[in-house]
Amino acid sequence: MTKLSIIRLNTILLFFLGITSCSSQTDTGVVVAPPNTNLTTTGILCDLNESGYNASDSVELNYTYAWGCTEDERLLTANGVPNHDAGTVRNDRDTVLEQNVSASFTLMPAATNTATAVGGGRGTIAFALNGVKFDPGTAGTCDDSGDNCSLVGNVGQWNIEALGQNEFSFGIDANNAHVQGLGTYHYHGMPEGLLTELGNGEAMTLIGWAADGFPVYARYGYSDAMDASSSVKVITGSYQLKETPDANRPDTDLYAMGSFSQDYAYVEGSGDLDECNGRVGVTPEFPEGIYHYYVTDSYPFMTRCVKGEVTVNQGPPVNP
């Protein structure tokens, strides 16, 4: 049994300093982050590490990751190799290569009501517990005509989605992941293999840390965000496909709605989460409540923005 499979409450030292202002709830029921929240994630998964061999055809490498904490920072060192099956190699681009992952996160995340985009050269939006990064966007674009599209070339203004469409193939595997040109394996959505390794079934499961230091959970959450005794359900995002395509969008006869990021709009209250795919609520690790993100089965699949301040190193810039 790996350390990841035993990181439940009986191995976690809770060290929560409390929220100085009450969480607020919108008329639509989504609990949003209050400003100037003072808390700490100290003591949560501060001694987590694993090494092993991944025999997948597209990997055949050793994987390693280690998490630790200083007085005020959470530190990650890893080689970016997944600790689960990564599918089958189709070409050289799909071959996973070792990376030099070194990142740090604040242990005292500061919640705000402002959504800040992360990515596009600024850094990685989040890292999973196994040291693999989350990079939900792509460098794929189309021009207005739809005749000129590239999965890597940034040729137009219409941003191609990796998930939720069947018009373009990014070589996504069963973990909603693929390999970038430099051999970097990364997730665009639900990391199914990691969830299998964690082995928690239909339970609320912490799977990583976002760039602002807040925790990331996968798929399941409490039906009442502030009540740990409420039933667990599949959490959904609050983005919906637009009824009418944006002006100058490539024809929907060429590319169905959902092919591009611009095809979605945030509709407050249509799901469980805010515009950054997060909410305030209680979790197994934070029974007093904390702002936290979700990886969801619905768009945006993984947050494209953060609600907290990003003040520490999140590793190298995002690659195409």
Side-chain angles (χ1 to χ4, degrees):
M1 182 179 294
T2 68
K3 288 193 175 182
L4 271 179
S5 64
I6 59 173
I7 53 170
R8 302 315 303 154
L9 287 177
N10 60 335
T11 61
I12 295 172
L13 174 62
L14 295 175
F15 208 99
F16 190 83
L17 293 185
I19 296 177
T20 59
S21 60
C22 295
S23 300
S24 61
Q25 183 167 324
T26 67
D27 292 338
T28 55
V30 177
V31 181
V32 298
N36 303 318
T37 297
N38 295 318
L39 55 86
T40 180
T41 64
T42 300
I44 307 299
L45 305 186
C46 281
D47 184 17
L48 177 65
N49 61 84
E50 183 187 12
S51 297
Y53 182 72
N54 189 326
S56 299
D57 290 343
S58 57
V59 184
E60 296 182 336
L61 294 170
N62 291 315
Y63 63 85
T64 182
Y65 59 87
W67 294 85
C69 296
T70 65
E71 182 177 348
D72 54 9
E73 288 186 352
R74 182 181 307 279
L75 306 176
L76 166 66
T77 57
N79 67 355
V81 176
N83 62 337
H84 53 71
D85 184 78
T88 302
V89 171
R90 295 178 303 133
N91 53 54
D92 290 342
R93 179 179 168 84
D94 296 317
T95 302
V96 178
L97 300 177
E98 290 188 56
Q99 307 295 313
N100 182 18
V101 178
S102 178
S104 58
F105 312 73
T106 180
L107 288 176
M108 298 190 68
T112 72
N113 285 320
T114 301
T116 302
V118 175
R122 292 187 56 195
T124 300
I125 195 74
F127 279 97
L129 295 182
N130 61 1
V132 174
K133 71 176 181 176
F134 282 98
D135 187 1
T138 78
T141 58
C142 289
D143 65 3
D144 290 357
S145 71
D147 296 329
N148 188 12
C149 299
S150 171
L151 299 187
V152 297
N154 288 315
V155 297
Q157 64 173 324
W158 301 98
N159 303 103
I160 302 171
E161 280 294 311
L163 305 179
Q165 54 83 21
N166 298 312
E167 312 297 332
F168 303 92
S169 176
F170 286 88
I172 300 295
D173 67 12
N175 306 292
N176 294 300
H178 70 164
V179 180
Q180 290 169 330
L182 299 178
T184 306
Y185 187 81
H186 62 284
Y187 301 117
H188 280 265
M190 196 70 66
E192 300 290 359
L194 176 59
L195 292 177
T196 298
E197 288 293 317
L198 290 168
N200 292 323
E202 297 182 7
M204 195 169 183
T205 302
L206 194 160
I207 62 166
W209 300 94
D212 56 5
F214 284 112
V216 179
Y217 290 80
R219 187 172 282 137
Y220 300 107
Y222 298 121
S223 54
D224 182 338
M226 300 304 296
D227 184 2
S229 66
S230 63
S231 61
V232 173
K233 70 170 188 175
V234 174
I235 299 297
T236 60
S238 296
Y239 284 80
Q240 305 296 324
L241 276 177
K242 296 176 180 177
E243 294 183 2
T244 304
D246 289 352
N248 300 318
R249 182 197 187 278
D251 197 299
T252 54
D253 288 339
L254 286 175
Y255 306 116
M257 289 294 285
S259 298
F260 305 112
S261 306
Q262 292 89 343
D263 294 341
Y264 294 91
Y266 173 64
V267 181
E268 185 177 355
S270 63
D272 302 300
L273 306 174
D274 65 16
E275 69 271 33
C276 291
N277 237 35
R279 69 178 183 179
V280 170
V282 297
T283 78
E285 290 76 21
F286 300 96
E288 301 295 326
I290 191 172
Y291 184 78
H292 56 284
Y293 302 98
Y294 285 88
V295 183
T296 53
D297 296 307
S298 58
Y299 186 91
F301 307 108
M302 175 62 191
T303 181
R304 314 295 174 95
C305 57
V306 294
K307 280 295 188 72
E309 299 175 4
V310 180
T311 59
V312 289
N313 170 45
Q314 296 307 313
V318 176
N319 297 313

